[in-house]
Amino acid sequence: MKQRKIPMRKDIVTGEMAPKKQLVRVVRNQDQEVSIDPTGKQSGRGAYISLDVEIAKRAKKERTFDHAFSLKIDDQFYDDLIAYVDHQQARRELFDHDKF
């Protein structure tokens, strides 16, 4: 059976390449609104970050998405991002635990 290609994306905080499923997409739309894109299919400029709480906290500290999207983004977005990443990380540990 032929091996399927795994799509890779770059984490904008660490600069490391990782499989797309291990990252979350953040998107800026035409109205200059920044939001989390859990489906990975919203239209707009996208950037990826790892599903790791420490990396999300580092993104808040360094204001990574402010630089990536050339916008001033409020702290509430970063807090929501940290909460989302924490939730997804917990789900992954809970459900992927059975696969090993």
Side-chain angles (χ1 to χ4, degrees), residues 8-91:
M8 302 290 280
R9 298 292 183 266
K10 185 182 244 183
D11 179 337
I12 67 165
V13 179
T14 64
E16 297 176 7
M17 296 294 284
K20 189 175 174 182
K21 290 197 178 272
Q22 295 177 7
L23 304 169
V24 64
R25 184 172 186 249
V26 176
V27 66
R28 181 196 73 205
N29 63 18
Q30 289 181 338
D31 299 328
Q32 307 303 318
E33 297 168 339
V34 177
S35 62
I36 298 169
D37 180 11
T39 63
K41 297 179 180 178
Q42 289 181 3
S43 63
R45 171 86 170 101
Y48 291 84
I49 184 171
S50 294
L51 287 172
D52 185 346
V53 175
E54 294 305 314
I55 293 176
K57 289 179 181 176
R58 184 174 151 198
K60 179 180 180 179
K61 181 181 169 198
E62 297 174 2
R63 311 292 297 177
T64 304
F65 291 103
D66 291 33
H67 301 294
F69 296 134
S70 302
L71 290 174
K72 173 74 175 115
I73 301 171
D74 61 328
D75 285 337
Q76 183 61 45
F77 167 76
Y78 287 103
D79 294 337
D80 293 345
L81 178 66
I82 291 168
Y84 178 81
V85 168
D86 185 38
H87 177 73
Q88 293 299 320
Q89 189 176 13
R91 285 192 65 192

